Amino acid sequence: MTYLVCLCDEDKDEIVTEQSLQIDFKTIEAATRNFHEDNKVGEGGFGGVYEGVLPNGRKIVVKRLSKGSGQGAQEFKNEVMLLAKLQHRNLVRLLGFCLEAEEKILIYEYVPNKSLDYFLFDPTKQGQLDWTTRCKIIGGIARGMLYLHEDSRLRIIHRDLKASNILLDEEMNAKISDFGMAGIFCVNQTQARTNRIAGTFGYMSPEYAMHGKFSMQSDVFSFGVLVLEIISGKRNNEFCPVGFSGDLLCYVRKSIMP
């Protein structure tokens, strides 16, 4: 039996058992047809992502961490603990996990419309995101962030909000995913510092990218960049209008304050 313990002082005596979430490796192998290439739907920063079907017919998404990835056992347990505790319609739902030998695997709910970047940055698919849908997605991300920052039992700083980490369900509702780099705060804690800068350049707040300081405001900065991308349909780091050197964020700032 696996136990995960919250390290915040106010919860230090609370122990959460994850036995019911454990899924054996053979079941996952069968669900993904032995991680067949045809079942692969993406390659994240820490390994492959696969679609699969459990014996009961339920569709799942499997995140298999590569053995040479930067995410170790502690970060894996971090993500499992977070997702097991967090329940919100705008957060991706954890269905199970596997920790056998060198395998570290997370099993999520199946989200049929893939990630936001799949639509947002593809000229042939952008048309499916009308203004009503884009506003709906922005609102969903904001509600998910509010839950993480203010309404959950712990204060969670995601640290890697970006278009590829926003999944879309069958009704194009946004679901925040990938909590491997998230920071766990006690309720009365507001910021922290790290020597390990994790996340994606272009979405990071300056104080985090340069000094390792992260807080709720760090996520809000990333959310602001994401909103600009949703409105414009352009990647922040790949925005290159004629006669302008800089990213989308700099362009908007210069347009507002010439």
Side-chain angles (χ1 to χ4, degrees):
M1 181 180 296
T2 299
Y3 294 98
L4 298 178
V5 183
C6 175
L7 300 180
C8 288
D9 289 342
E10 65 183 26
D11 288 328
K12 64 183 178 182
D13 295 325
E14 180 181 347
I15 298 177
V16 179
T17 176
E18 298 296 342
Q19 185 179 33
S20 62
L21 294 178
Q22 293 185 69
I23 300 178
D24 65 84
F25 184 68
K26 289 184 178 180
T27 299
I28 300 171
E29 274 190 315
T32 59
R33 297 188 300 157
N34 196 24
F35 301 98
H36 196 280
E37 193 66 25
D38 290 344
N39 286 61
K40 194 169 187 177
V41 295
E43 186 75 25
F46 297 118
V49 181
Y50 302 81
E51 291 181 352
V53 182
L54 293 174
N56 63 6
R58 181 167 193 172
K59 289 186 176 181
I60 58 173
V61 173
V62 173
K63 178 181 176 182
R64 187 186 193 188
L65 305 188
S66 61
K67 295 178 176 63
S69 73
Q71 187 171 25
Q74 184 58 48
E75 287 157 335
F76 177 81
K77 291 177 181 179
N78 181 27
E79 186 161 2
V80 170
M81 185 184 75
L82 285 175
L83 291 174
K85 287 178 174 286
L86 303 178
Q87 296 293 329
H88 191 274
R89 63 175 178 165
N90 295 115
L91 305 182
V92 70
R93 183 184 174 193
L94 178 74
L95 300 179
F97 71 95
C98 175
L99 185 57
E100 292 185 18
E102 296 183 358
E103 295 287 351
K104 302 183 187 74
I105 297 172
L106 293 165
I107 299 93
Y108 298 102
E109 65 176 316
Y110 176 74
V111 184
N113 279 323
K114 302 183 180 181
S115 57
L116 176 59
D117 62 328
Y118 177 77
F119 292 93
L120 190 59
F121 304 129
D122 187 329
T124 65
K125 297 182 177 66
Q126 280 184 345
Q128 298 179 49
L129 299 178
D130 57 25
W131 288 118
T132 299
T133 302
R134 295 186 194 214
C135 288
K136 179 181 179 180
I137 291 170
I138 291 170
I141 300 169
R143 284 191 297 271
M145 281 181 55
L146 179 63
Y147 173 80
L148 293 173
H149 291 174
E150 299 288 351
D151 296 337
S152 66
R153 293 170 60 242
L154 300 171
R155 177 167 287 165
I156 309 301
I157 311 301
H158 189 279
R159 289 206 291 166
D160 199 19
L161 284 172
K162 58 183 177 180
S164 60
N165 283 339
I166 306 300
L167 305 185
L168 301 171
D169 68 10
E170 63 278 0
E171 297 179 352
M172 302 300 276
N173 292 304
K175 291 179 177 286
I176 299 173
S177 69
D178 200 339
F179 290 81
M181 290 292 100
I184 311 172
F185 285 6
C186 295
V187 175
N188 60 354
Q189 187 179 0
T190 59
Q191 67 176 5
R193 183 191 293 268
T194 180
N195 292 324
R196 182 182 179 189
I197 308 300
T200 305
F201 286 104
Y203 291 91
M204 293 182 188
S205 63
E207 72 274 9
Y208 178 50
M210 293 187 291
H211 306 295
K213 294 181 180 179
F214 63 95
S215 64
M216 290 185 292
Q217 285 72 28
S218 306
D219 279 353
V220 172
F221 182 94
S222 302
F223 174 68
V225 175
L226 190 49
V227 169
L228 292 178
E229 290 185 330
I230 293 172
I231 292 172
S232 67
K234 305 293 184 182
R235 292 184 189 271
N236 182 40
N237 290 336
E238 297 177 5
F239 182 74
C240 301
V242 176
F244 180 81
S245 59
D247 57 18
L248 176 61
L249 183 59
C250 292
Y251 181 82
V252 171
R253 184 183 292 118
K254 185 175 182 179
S255 298
I256 296 173
M257 298 181 295

